[in-house]
Coordinates of all heavy atoms in Angstrom, one line a residue:
G1 N 88.4 88.0 92.1 CA 87.3 87.1 92.8 C 86.9 85.9 92.1 O 86.9 84.8 92.6
L2 N 86.6 86.1 90.8 CA 86.2 85.1 89.9 C 87.3 84.0 89.6 O 87.0 82.8 89.5 CB 85.7 85.6 88.5 CG 84.3 86.4 88.6 CD1 83.8 86.9 87.3 CD2 83.1 85.5 89.3
L3 N 88.4 84.5 89.4 CA 89.6 83.7 89.1 C 90.0 82.9 90.4 O 90.4 81.7 90.3 CB 90.8 84.5 88.7 CG 90.6 85.2 87.3 CD1 91.7 86.2 86.9 CD2 90.7 84.0 86.2
A4 N 90.0 83.5 91.5 CA 90.1 82.7 92.8 C 89.1 81.6 93.0 O 89.5 80.5 93.3 CB 90.0 83.7 94.0
L5 N 87.9 81.9 92.6 CA 86.8 80.9 92.6 C 87.1 79.8 91.8 O 86.9 78.5 92.1 CB 85.5 81.5 92.4 CG 84.3 80.5 92.3 CD1 84.1 79.9 93.6 CD2 83.0 81.2 91.9
T6 N 87.7 80.1 90.6 CA 88.0 79.1 89.6 C 89.1 78.2 90.1 O 89.1 77.0 89.9 CB 88.5 79.8 88.3 OG1 87.5 80.7 87.8 CG2 88.7 78.7 87.2
L7 N 90.1 78.8 90.8 CA 91.1 78.0 91.3 C 90.5 77.0 92.5 O 90.9 75.8 92.6 CB 92.2 78.9 92.0 CG 93.0 79.8 91.1 CD1 93.8 80.7 91.9 CD2 93.9 78.9 90.4
I8 N 89.5 77.4 93.2 CA 88.9 76.6 94.2 C 88.1 75.4 93.5 O 88.2 74.3 93.9 CB 88.1 77.4 95.1 CG1 88.9 78.4 96.0 CG2 87.2 76.4 96.1 CD1 88.1 79.4 96.7
I9 N 87.4 75.7 92.5 CA 86.5 74.8 91.9 C 87.2 73.8 91.1 O 86.9 72.6 91.0 CB 85.5 75.6 90.9 CG1 84.6 76.5 91.6 CG2 84.7 74.5 90.0 CD1 83.7 77.4 90.7
A10 N 88.3 74.2 90.4 CA 89.1 73.3 89.6 C 90.6 73.4 89.9 O 91.3 74.0 89.1 CB 88.8 73.7 88.0
P11 N 91.0 72.7 90.9 CA 92.5 72.9 91.3 C 93.3 72.3 90.3 O 94.5 72.6 90.2 CB 92.4 72.2 92.6 CG 91.2 71.3 92.8 CD 90.2 72.1 92.0
G12 N 92.7 71.3 89.6 CA 93.6 70.6 88.6 C 93.9 71.5 87.4 O 94.5 71.1 86.4
R13 N 93.1 72.6 87.3 CA 93.3 73.5 86.1 C 93.8 74.8 86.6 O 93.3 76.0 86.1 CB 91.9 73.6 85.3 CG 91.4 72.4 84.7 CD 90.0 72.5 84.3 NE 89.4 71.2 83.8 CZ 89.1 71.1 82.6 NH1 89.0 71.9 81.8 NH2 88.5 69.8 82.2
S14 N 94.7 74.9 87.4 CA 94.9 76.2 88.2 C 95.9 77.1 87.5 O 95.9 78.3 87.9 CB 95.5 75.7 89.7 OG 96.7 75.0 89.5
L15 N 96.8 76.6 86.7 CA 97.8 77.5 86.2 C 97.3 78.6 85.4 O 97.6 79.8 85.6 CB 98.9 76.6 85.4 CG 100.2 77.3 85.1 CD1 100.8 77.9 86.4 CD2 101.2 76.4 84.5
P16 N 96.5 78.4 84.3 CA 95.9 79.6 83.6 C 95.2 80.6 84.5 O 95.5 81.8 84.2 CB 95.0 78.9 82.6 CG 95.5 77.5 82.5 CD 96.1 77.1 83.7
P17 N 94.2 80.2 85.3 CA 93.6 81.3 86.2 C 94.6 81.9 87.1 O 94.5 83.1 87.4 CB 92.6 80.6 86.9 CG 92.9 79.1 86.8 CD 93.6 79.0 85.5
L18 N 95.6 81.2 87.6 CA 96.6 81.8 88.4 C 97.5 82.8 87.7 O 97.7 84.0 88.2 CB 97.6 80.7 89.0 CG 98.6 81.2 90.0 CD1 97.9 81.8 91.2 CD2 99.6 80.0 90.5
I19 N 97.9 82.5 86.5 CA 98.5 83.5 85.7 C 97.7 84.7 85.4 O 98.2 85.9 85.4 CB 99.1 82.8 84.3 CG1 100.2 81.8 84.6 CG2 99.6 83.9 83.4 CD1 100.5 81.0 83.5
A20 N 96.4 84.5 85.1 CA 95.5 85.6 84.8 C 95.4 86.4 86.0 O 95.2 87.6 85.9 CB 94.1 85.1 84.3
T21 N 95.3 85.9 87.2 CA 95.2 86.6 88.5 C 96.4 87.5 88.6 O 96.2 88.7 89.1 CB 95.1 85.7 89.6 OG1 93.9 84.9 89.6 CG2 95.0 86.5 90.9
C22 N 97.5 87.0 88.4 CA 98.7 87.8 88.4 C 98.7 89.0 87.4 O 99.2 90.1 87.8 CB 100.0 87.0 88.3 SG 100.3 85.7 89.6
A23 N 98.1 88.7 86.3 CA 98.0 89.8 85.3 C 97.1 90.8 85.6 O 97.3 92.0 85.4 CB 97.6 89.1 84.0
A24 N 96.0 90.4 86.3 CA 95.0 91.4 86.8 C 95.6 92.3 87.8 O 95.5 93.6 87.7 CB 93.8 90.7 87.3
L25 N 96.4 91.7 88.7 CA 97.0 92.6 89.7 C 98.2 93.4 89.1 O 98.4 94.6 89.5 CB 97.6 91.7 90.8 CG 96.7 90.9 91.6 CD1 97.4 89.8 92.6 CD2 95.7 91.8 92.3
A26 N 98.8 92.9 88.1 CA 99.9 93.8 87.5 C 99.2 94.9 86.7 O 99.8 96.0 86.7 CB 100.7 92.8 86.6
S27 N 98.1 94.6 86.0 CA 97.4 95.7 85.4 C 96.9 96.8 86.3 O 97.1 97.9 86.1 CB 96.2 95.0 84.6 OG 95.4 96.0 83.9
L28 N 96.4 96.4 87.6 CA 96.0 97.4 88.4 C 97.3 98.1 89.0 O 97.1 99.4 89.0 CB 95.3 96.6 89.7 CG 95.0 97.5 90.9 CD1 93.8 98.5 90.4 CD2 94.5 96.7 92.1
A29 N 98.3 97.5 89.2 CA 99.5 98.1 89.7 C 100.0 99.2 88.7 O 100.3 100.3 89.1 CB 100.5 97.2 90.0
A30 N 100.0 98.8 87.5 CA 100.5 99.8 86.4 C 99.5 101.0 86.4 O 99.9 102.2 86.2 CB 100.5 99.1 85.1
L31 N 98.3 100.7 86.4 CA 97.2 101.9 86.4 C 97.4 102.8 87.6 O 97.4 104.0 87.5 CB 95.8 101.3 86.4 CG 94.6 102.3 86.3 CD1 94.8 103.2 85.0 CD2 93.4 101.7 86.2
V32 N 97.5 102.2 88.8 CA 97.7 102.9 90.0 C 99.0 103.9 90.0 O 99.0 105.0 90.4 CB 97.8 102.0 91.3 CG1 98.1 102.8 92.5 CG2 96.4 101.5 91.6
L33 N 100.1 103.2 89.4 CA 101.4 104.1 89.3 C 101.1 105.2 88.4 O 101.6 106.3 88.6 CB 102.4 103.1 88.8 CG 103.0 102.1 89.8 CD1 103.9 101.2 89.2 CD2 103.6 102.8 91.0
F34 N 100.4 104.9 87.2 CA 100.1 106.1 86.3 C 99.2 107.2 87.1 O 99.6 108.3 86.9 CB 99.3 105.5 85.1 CG 98.8 106.6 84.2 CD1 99.5 107.4 83.5 CD2 97.4 106.9 84.3 CE1 99.1 108.4 82.7 CE2 96.9 107.9 83.6 CZ 97.6 108.7 82.7
R35 N 98.2 106.8 87.8 CA 97.3 107.8 88.5 C 98.2 108.5 89.4 O 98.0 109.8 89.6 CB 96.2 107.1 89.2 CG 95.2 106.5 88.2 CD 94.0 105.8 89.1 NE 93.0 105.2 88.2 CZ 92.4 104.0 88.5 NH1 92.7 103.3 89.6 NH2 91.5 103.6 87.7
L36 N 99.0 107.8 90.2 CA 99.9 108.5 91.3 C 100.8 109.5 90.6 O 101.0 110.6 91.0 CB 100.7 107.5 92.0 CG 99.9 106.6 93.0 CD1 100.7 105.5 93.6 CD2 99.3 107.5 94.2
S37 N 101.4 109.2 89.4 CA 102.3 110.1 88.8 C 101.6 111.3 88.1 O 102.1 112.4 88.0 CB 103.1 109.3 87.7 OG 102.3 108.8 86.7
Y38 N 100.3 111.1 87.7 CA 99.6 112.0 86.9 C 98.7 112.8 87.8 O 98.6 114.1 87.7 CB 98.8 111.4 85.8 CG 98.2 112.4 84.8 CD1 99.0 112.8 83.7 CD2 96.8 112.8 84.9 CE1 98.5 113.7 82.9 CE2 96.3 113.7 83.9 CZ 97.1 114.2 82.9 OH 96.6 115.0 82.1
F39 N 97.9 112.2 88.6 CA 96.9 112.8 89.5 C 97.4 113.0 90.9 O 96.9 114.0 91.6 CB 95.5 112.1 89.6 CG 94.9 111.8 88.2 CD1 95.0 110.6 87.6 CD2 94.3 112.9 87.7 CE1 94.4 110.4 86.4 CE2 93.8 112.7 86.3 CZ 93.7 111.3 85.7
G40 N 98.3 112.1 91.4 CA 98.6 112.2 92.8 C 97.9 111.3 93.7 O 98.1 111.2 94.9

């Protein structure tokens, strides 16, 4: 949410927050895969 707001506020500085957003989603995906394999 905060990174998306940053993209809206400063479209000319979009690449770093865009990469960070992808990293947040990748981090979540890795954690969910671990939970699914360990806890179900």
Side-chain angles (χ1 to χ4, degrees):
L2 292 178
L3 291 168
L5 177 63
T6 306
L7 291 171
I8 295 172
I9 293 174
R13 301 168 178 239
S14 59
L15 195 52
L18 185 60
I19 293 174
T21 301
C22 294
L25 295 175
S27 178
L28 174 67
L31 182 61
V32 169
L33 288 175
F34 167 76
R35 288 177 182 147
L36 288 172
S37 64
Y38 190 83
F39 300 107

